[in-house]
Amino acid sequence: MRALQLTTRFRKDAFEAEACLLIYDDDSLTGSEIGADVRDVLNHRPNTSLICVMAPFIREPLLNEHLATGSSVHRASATMPGVAGEIAFVALRHLPETGLAAFICPLFLSGKVVVAAAERALPEELRQGWLFDLFDRFGGRVDAPVGVHFGKASGKHADKFLRTSSVLLSTSACTVVGFFALCVLKGGKPRRIFVDTAPLLTVVYVMQRIAAFNALWQMMPTGKSFSSYGGIEKLPLLGTGDLILVSASTSGELASRLIGLNVHEDALLTLFLLSSSPAMQTKGKLLCDLTYRPGRTFGYPLVENQPAASCTLCQKGFILAELSGDQFLLENRGIKRLRVSHGSQPKDARDDIESLSRAKLLKVALRSASSHQTDIEVDVRGLLIASASVRQKYVRLLTRFTPAPVTYVVLVGIDEDLFDELAIEARLFNVLAEAKVVKADVLGNLPPVEGGNVLVAIGHLFDHAALRGINAQLRAKVPMGCVSYLSVVTVADSARNLSDLRTFLSWGEYGADTFIYRGAVEFMLPWAGKGLAAWTQELEFLQALRSDSELPDELADRLNWLESSSSIVDQLFLPGKDGELQIANDFVYLNTKIDKDQISQADIYAVVANLLACTRCENEGLKPSTSRGSVPLRWTQSVYGQVLLCPSNFKDYNDAVLRGAFLRAASSEELCYSVDEGCSSEMLDILLAEIQGWSHGKGNALPEFLISLSCRRLKLKDTHLEQFQSAMKASSVPQYLVKLAAEIEHR
C-alpha cells in the first residue's frame, strides 16, 4: 500500500462500521494508485463503509478527476450488505465565521457516472479516532517495564508517558498531524511557531507547506524548539503573532504555565492529551484526546500521575528513570571502573594458565569470531603431550565415565589417532570393542539404537551452541541410553554459563543426572563481542589508509602480515622501540623464573583475557555454584551506566606487552573514556608519559596506544585528544607513529 492508512470505528445509523483515511504526502498521484489502495482496504477490512483520501499537495480538481476516473468509487459502492459504501476526499474550507475547517467531499455512483455529493464538515470524532490510531500504532504511549517508573519534567511520577517523536517517523504521519493542526487552529497567520520538543519542527514544516500550497500564509513563520519545561524561562517575549505547539501531555501543566506567560489560548495547541482524571482539561486548543470515555470506540484508560514526595512506585522500590521532553534524561550516568587485581584470578585459573603456557599451545584468532565463541585457540594434542597432569586427568575421566559398552564414539576437535592413544591408556579395550567411531558432522546418518551408549570425546570445547546441537541429535539416536561428554579443555565466560552448559548436557529422561559432562581443564575466557576484533579493526584501518596514500614501511609490513595471518602465537602487538614486546621478570600471574623467554604474547593475552572475564563477574571464577534462577553478576554496558577499564590498570601493569594486551582484550565500550572527564584525564597522563618515555628507552606501548586511537577503539574527550596530538607533533618519534597520530584527526 502506497498511502498511510488510518482506521477508526464509528456509529452509522443502527450499526457500527469503520472509517479509513488514506494519506498521500507527495505531489503526483494517479487514479489507479488510489484504486489499488482502496481495494487493499476493502480486502483486509470489509467492514469499512467510509474511505477518505487526504492528498493536500494535489490540486482539488485533479484529485476529484483521479477518483472519478479510477476504480475507487466503484469498489466502495457496496462494501456492506444493504448499506452503500462511501468514498470522499478531505479538503480545506475557509468559513467566514470560524475560519479554516476540514470537510468531507463525497463521490457516488449514479448509474455508471460518478458524481459529487453535498460536502459536509468532518466530524471531530473521526479526526480524533484517526489520530488515535496513528498514535497507538506507532507506540506513542510508552509503558515502563516492571520495576521501573518515570519521573516527568512536570515533577510527577507515573508508569506511562507519551512520546510524540515515536509517531512522527514519516512525512505522511507529519502530513496528517499538520493538516488537522491547521484546521483546529482555524488557519491563523503566525509570525513565529515555538514547539516544546524538536521533533515537532517536522510538523511545523508540513504546516508551512500546506499553507503555502493553499496560499493561506503570505509570509512563512520561523520555527524553534524551547525544550519543554526546561526552556520556558528562556522563551522570548511572546506576542499575538506567536503560535505554541505542545507535543503531548498527561497533566496539562505545561499549557497552564505557558498561558501564564501571556500566550493566548487560541494560539496554544496540544497535539495529544491523555487525561489523569475524568474532569481534567488542558488550556488552549487540543488536537487529539487519547482518553477513553463512555460512548467512544477508542481511547486509553486514565493515566495515574503521582507527586514525587508520595509516589507509591518509589515506595515499592521501583527504579526512577528521569525524562526531559520526549527524551530520557540520564543525569550523571553511572561509571563503573573495571579494575584488575591479584584477587581477580582464582588459584585454579592460575594453575591452568601455567599448564597452558610456554609450549606455544595457545594461539589468538585475528579475525572476528562469533559472539558466543572465544578468540583464543588451544592446541589440544600439544597440550596432552606437554602436560602430563592434564593428560592424566583426561585419561582418568575416560576411565571413570565412559559408559559400557560403547555404541558410538563421537570425536569433536580431537583426531582418531590421539583418541586411540588415550583409550589404550585408559584400558578401554573391551568397552570400545564394538564401538563405531565417527565425527560430529555425520551424526545424522547413524541408525538409532534404543538404550545405546555414546562417548563424546571433545578436545577444545569453546562453541557451546555446537555441542548443544550434538546433544539434540544424540537424544534421538540413543533414546533411553547413556551419553558421556568428556572434554580436555572447556571454555566459558562465567560460572553461570558453565552451569547452564552442564545442566543442558546432563538433563534427560531420568532427570538431572541422565547424562554426564566432565572437563579436565575448565578455563574462563570472555566471548568475542558483537563488534569487530581488535586485529580485524587494525586490518581494515590499514587497508583504508593504504588506499589513500603510501604506507610507511613499518605499517606496510604490518599490513602484509595481518593479511597473511589467521591465528598466531607471537607478533600480536606492534613492536616498541626495543622490538617485540616481552614480559618483565616480575609478572605476578605467571612464574617468570621458569623459562620466561618461552612465554608467548598469546600466553600473555590469554592471562589478561582471563583476568578481565573474572573481573567482569565480580572476581568470581568458574567454581562458584550458580542455580538457573540466580541473577548472573556481570559488569555490562546499559543505558543507565558505562563500564570502563580503569586507567589504573595501565599504571599498575606498566609492561608494554600488558598494556597492549589490555587494549586488545577490552571491548570498545570499556575503552570509551570520552564519556567520563576523570578517566579521560587519567588516560591522557599515561599517553603523555609514553610520548616522553620514547626518547628515554621507554614508551614501548606507544604504537599500541596509537593504533587503538586510530581504530577508534580507545576514545578520549576532545580536549584531551587535542592535547595528545599537540604533544605528538612536538615529539621526536618515528614517521610511522606520526602518520598514525595524524590519522586520529580524520577518524
Side-chain angles (χ1 to χ4, degrees):
M1 176 170 285
R2 181 174 179 178
L4 170 64
Q5 175 191 341
L6 302 178
T7 304
T8 187
R9 300 186 68 82
F10 75 105
R11 289 181 175 83
K12 182 175 182 180
D13 300 326
F15 64 91
E16 189 173 276
E18 290 187 346
C20 175
L21 178 65
L22 300 176
I23 302 105
Y24 298 89
D25 59 348
D26 43 11
D27 54 9
S28 62
L29 198 59
T30 65
S32 61
E33 289 170 339
I34 301 175
D37 287 347
V38 170
R39 177 200 61 207
D40 291 342
V41 170
L42 297 177
N43 285 343
H44 292 93
R45 310 184 78 96
N47 197 38
T48 303
S49 68
L50 172 63
I51 299 178
C52 292
V53 175
M54 176 184 288
F57 309 116
I58 305 291
R59 295 297 176 188
E60 192 171 309
L62 182 58
L63 180 59
N64 189 79
E65 179 183 342
H66 289 330
L67 289 170
T69 57
S71 59
S72 304
V73 178
H74 296 78
R75 294 183 185 279
S77 61
T79 58
M80 297 180 63
V83 179
E86 188 177 27
I87 190 163
F89 61 90
V90 180
L92 290 173
R93 294 289 182 263
H94 195 281
L95 305 179
E97 303 82 12
T98 57
L100 205 62
F103 268 64
I104 294 178
C105 304
L107 300 173
F108 69 97
L109 201 60
S110 177
K112 294 184 178 181
V113 180
V114 176
V115 296
E119 40 183 71
R120 62 184 185 273
L122 175 70
E124 181 180 347
E125 202 67 0
L126 280 183
R127 182 197 80 216
Q128 298 213 23
W130 285 329
L131 289 172
F132 175 85
D133 184 39
L134 175 72
F135 193 88
D136 184 65
R137 186 186 307 177
F138 292 99
R141 189 187 74 170
V142 180
D143 297 338
V146 176
V148 178
H149 69 298
F150 304 116
K152 303 181 182 181
S154 62
K156 300 292 181 65
H157 291 189
D159 61 356
K160 298 175 179 61
F161 82 99
L162 308 182
R163 182 162 58 192
T164 307
S165 59
S166 297
V167 178
L168 305 175
L169 299 180
S170 66
T171 53
S172 53
C174 296
T175 295
V176 67
V177 173
F179 183 96
F180 285 137
L182 279 174
C183 297
V184 173
L185 291 166
K186 303 303 180 185
K189 300 177 181 179
R191 181 172 57 93
R192 297 179 297 183
I193 302 179
F194 294 92
V195 297
D196 67 333
T197 51
L200 258 63
L201 290 172
T202 56
V203 176
V204 174
Y205 299 150
V206 168
M207 293 171 65
Q208 292 176 345
R209 186 181 174 194
I210 294 174
F213 187 83
N214 292 275
L216 298 175
W217 295 345
Q218 296 178 349
M219 181 178 65
M220 290 298 103
T222 60
K224 184 178 181 181
S225 171
F226 61 89
S227 301
S228 191
Y229 288 85
I232 288 181
E233 304 303 328
K234 298 178 182 179
L235 276 170
L237 185 64
L238 301 175
T240 55
D242 295 322
L243 177 63
I244 308 289
L245 299 185
V246 175
S247 56
S249 178
T250 59
S251 64
E253 291 189 10
L254 180 58
S256 297
R257 291 184 60 177
L258 290 167
I259 294 296
L261 295 176
N262 298 321
V263 175
H264 195 276
E265 288 199 19
D266 287 339
L268 174 62
L269 175 65
T270 300
L271 299 186
F272 298 98
L273 174 72
L274 178 55
S275 300
S276 55
S277 69
M280 195 197 97
Q281 298 289 331
T282 187
K283 300 288 187 181
K285 294 181 178 294
L286 176 62
L287 182 65
C288 178
D289 187 351
L290 302 169
T291 314
Y292 174 78
R293 292 189 176 85
R296 267 191 162 185
T297 60
F298 59 88
Y300 296 127
L302 296 172
V303 65
E304 183 179 3
N305 289 324
Q306 302 187 54
S310 57
C311 176
T312 58
L313 298 173
C314 287
Q315 294 168 7
K316 291 179 181 179
F318 280 24
I319 295 172
L320 182 66
E322 295 284 356
L323 305 176
S324 176
D326 275 347
Q327 304 298 325
F328 284 96
L329 177 63
L330 299 171
E331 294 182 350
N332 300 321
R333 186 167 179 256
I335 299 295
K336 296 184 73 172
R337 293 189 175 214
L338 199 66
R339 183 167 184 175
V340 173
S341 67
H342 188 268
S344 299
Q345 188 183 59
K347 182 180 183 303
D348 59 298
R350 194 170 297 116
D351 294 340
D352 289 337
I353 197 65
E354 282 286 350
S355 66
L356 291 168
S357 63
R358 298 180 184 82
K360 312 299 181 183
L361 301 175
L362 298 176
K363 291 185 178 181
V364 177
L366 302 185
R367 303 295 179 261
S368 297
S370 165
S371 59
H372 287 87
Q373 296 180 15
T374 177
D375 57 359
I376 296 176
E377 301 172 356
V378 180
D379 178 0
V380 174
R381 172 176 280 278
L383 173 62
L384 292 173
I385 294 173
S387 176
S389 62
V390 174
R391 190 183 187 97
Q392 182 181 4
K393 285 181 183 178
Y394 192 67
V395 169
R396 189 166 186 271
L397 292 180
L398 290 172
T399 304
R400 289 189 63 196
F401 298 110
T402 299
V406 176
T407 309
Y408 298 125
V409 175
V410 181
L411 301 181
V412 181
I414 190 169
D415 60 68
E416 192 168 346
D417 291 340
L418 178 58
F419 175 75
D420 289 342
E421 293 177 18
L422 298 170
I424 291 171
E425 292 181 35
R427 300 178 181 179
L428 299 178
F429 311 105
N430 296 330
V431 175
L432 297 174
E434 302 297 327
K436 182 177 180 60
V437 181
V438 298
K439 297 289 187 180
D441 56 359
V442 299
L443 275 180
N445 300 327
L446 296 179
V449 178
E450 186 170 355
N453 298 322
V454 179
L455 170 63
V456 182
I458 310 160
H460 181 203
L461 201 174
F462 62 90
D463 189 343
H464 295 194
L467 199 61
R468 287 171 183 251
I470 293 172
N471 175 273
Q473 293 185 70
L474 288 177
R475 290 173 188 266
K477 296 299 179 182
V478 286
M480 310 303 292
C482 298
V483 182
S484 290
Y485 300 91
L486 305 181
S487 168
V488 179
V489 179
T490 300
V491 172
D493 70 332
S494 64
R496 169 66 178 273
N497 184 276
L498 182 58
S499 175
D500 287 348
L501 179 67
R502 287 192 185 114
T503 301
F504 186 88
L505 294 180
S506 62
W507 194 272
E509 297 95 334
Y510 300 107
D513 296 319
T514 302
F515 308 121
I516 293 172
Y517 158 79
R518 292 293 188 278
V521 175
E522 294 176 337
F523 196 59
M524 191 170 180
L525 290 172
W527 296 146
K530 294 181 180 179
L532 296 177
W535 290 275
T536 304
Q537 288 179 295
E538 180 187 3
L539 172 65
E540 293 184 355
F541 163 71
L542 291 177
Q543 287 174 334
L545 196 58
R546 180 179 59 186
S547 65
D548 294 337
S549 60
E550 184 177 354
L551 292 177
D553 292 342
E554 295 87 347
L555 297 182
D557 293 343
R558 177 71 175 179
L559 177 55
N560 292 333
W561 176 82
L562 285 171
E563 290 178 330
S564 60
S565 304
S566 56
S567 58
I568 54 169
V569 173
D570 283 308
Q571 295 182 305
L572 287 169
F573 313 114
L574 291 176
K577 186 175 183 179
D578 300 328
E580 292 297 325
L581 306 184
Q582 296 181 344
I583 195 64
N585 290 323
D586 56 350
F587 185 46
V588 70
Y589 297 101
L590 284 174
N591 187 356
T592 54
K593 295 179 181 178
I594 302 175
D595 298 329
K596 180 178 79 70
D597 294 340
Q598 299 301 315
I599 297 175
S600 69
Q601 290 186 352
D603 295 338
I604 299 300
Y605 180 79
V607 171
V608 171
N610 171 253
L611 287 168
L612 288 175
C614 293
T615 307
R616 290 173 185 137
C617 293
E618 297 286 354
N619 294 337
E620 289 190 354
L622 295 178
K623 294 303 180 185
S625 59
T626 57
S627 63
R628 288 185 65 83
S630 64
V631 178
L633 294 172
R634 186 176 301 176
W635 287 25
T636 56
Q637 317 298 333
S638 76
V639 69
Y640 302 106
Q642 182 90 9
V643 177
L644 295 177
L645 182 64
C646 185
S648 63
N649 292 306
F650 294 99
K651 298 177 182 177
D652 297 340
Y653 305 99
N654 54 14
D655 285 5
V657 67
L658 289 175
R659 289 182 166 185
F662 275 116
L663 290 170
R664 301 277 182 167
S667 67
S668 296
E669 292 85 359
E670 291 167 345
L671 298 174
C672 186
Y673 300 111
S674 58
V675 302
D676 184 69
E677 180 79 26
C679 286
S680 180
S681 178
E682 292 176 44
M683 282 304 303
L684 174 64
D685 292 340
I686 293 168
L687 290 168
L688 294 178
E690 286 288 315
I691 296 174
Q692 295 170 2
W694 187 270
S695 302
H696 302 87
K698 298 181 180 180
N700 282 303
L702 181 59
E704 275 295 308
F705 280 114
L706 282 168
I707 198 68
S708 189
L709 284 165
S710 300
C711 294
R712 300 290 293 164
R713 284 179 53 77
L714 173 61
K715 302 181 184 70
L716 303 179
K717 295 191 79 67
D718 289 342
T719 53
H720 296 149
L721 192 59
E722 291 172 2
Q723 293 179 51
F724 170 73
Q725 289 170 332
S726 298
M728 281 294 298
K729 291 176 182 177
S731 66
S732 55
V733 297
Q735 186 59 36
Y736 80 98
L737 297 183
V738 175
K739 177 71 172 176
L740 288 179
E743 286 302 310
I744 297 172
E745 299 181 42
H746 304 306
R747 292 177 179 268

